[in-house]
Amino acid sequence: MNCKIVVLYFSKNGSTQSIAKHIARGIESVEGCEAMLRTVDGLNKDTVPQDPIITVEELKHSDGLAMGSPVWFGNMAAPSKHFWDQTSSLWIAGSLIDKPACVFTSSSSMHGGHETTLQTMMLPLLHHGMMIMGIPYSEPRLHSTQSGGTPYGATALSTTSPSLSDDEAFLSKQLGKRLAVTSLKMKRH
């Protein structure tokens, strides 16, 4: 059984993309699960995306979703919001109902709006009927991280480079693994 999970992100400076890659590694650590790294149209034609741009059809046929955006004024970035504004056909058809999902973000300061950004990304997913999951406190590193990771989803503090701390990378992989296990269980039922 091949479980396809979309890891959808927008990244301006590379930090959110780094989280996406670690989540994808976590997904692919689960036998039978495949991560599909995708980005959204950046609305700036001068930038060339490093991963394929998502299509509505790919999202429709996925078994789960991890969605990420950098923090922009405590909210998801405009290109991410623009993508979701184009998914009315999926909403009308109920195409994403009961599919597992998680969210992730990065910002340049510890108090830059990680949790509010994660929550804004959850809203369209809830409207689509998706089942949102975070990182449970049974994960010991969630108690000790000094830079990123919340019960709402994976986060990173990106002050100087797109590289993640050990805790940020580990928590991102664990979130991807949890999403994959849940998506696989849902696909079997």
Side-chain angles (χ1 to χ4, degrees):
M1 175 178 302
N2 193 17
C3 186
K4 293 187 178 197
I5 301 168
V6 170
V7 181
L8 177 63
Y9 70 92
F10 173 72
S11 187
K12 187 167 180 175
N13 297 315
S15 295
T16 307
Q17 181 186 37
S18 292
I19 298 171
K21 288 179 179 181
H22 282 86
I23 287 174
R25 289 182 190 122
I27 290 167
E28 294 191 341
S29 73
V30 177
E31 187 175 340
C33 291
E34 174 188 346
M36 298 171 52
L37 274 169
R38 297 291 185 267
T39 190
V40 297
D41 185 353
L43 304 179
N44 178 352
K45 301 307 175 196
D46 295 335
T47 59
V48 177
Q50 292 185 13
D51 288 303
I53 293 175
I54 186 78
T55 67
V56 171
E57 282 299 305
E58 285 177 313
L59 186 57
K60 176 181 178 179
H61 296 292
S62 69
D63 297 303
L65 170 70
M67 177 185 160
S69 168
V71 171
W72 280 10
F73 300 106
N75 205 329
M76 76 173 101
S80 297
K81 175 73 167 72
H82 179 73
F83 171 76
W84 286 103
D85 288 346
Q86 300 175 63
T87 62
S88 293
S89 63
L90 298 179
W91 177 75
I92 290 167
S95 301
L96 303 180
I97 291 174
D98 292 338
K99 291 184 182 185
C102 65
V103 291
F104 57 97
T105 191
S106 65
S107 73
S108 61
S109 66
M110 181 63 85
H111 303 292
H114 284 168
E115 292 179 348
T116 58
T117 300
L118 294 172
Q119 290 171 344
T120 65
M121 287 188 289
M122 290 177 190
L123 296 177
L125 307 183
L126 289 167
H127 277 266
H128 276 283
M130 300 189 87
M131 298 183 306
I132 310 266
M133 62 180 52
I135 302 171
Y137 272 107
S138 58
E139 180 52 61
R141 288 203 190 188
L142 195 57
H143 295 274
S144 61
T145 181
Q146 295 293 307
S147 55
T150 74
Y152 302 100
T155 64
L157 180 59
S158 58
T159 54
T160 57
S161 77
S163 298
L164 303 183
S165 72
D166 288 343
D167 285 339
E168 292 166 343
F170 182 83
L171 291 168
S172 297
K173 287 179 196 170
Q174 291 301 100
L175 182 58
K177 183 177 179 180
R178 183 172 191 231
L179 177 63
V181 167
T182 304
S183 298
L184 197 56
K185 285 179 185 177
M186 294 301 295
K187 185 172 178 128
R188 288 181 178 153
H189 290 292

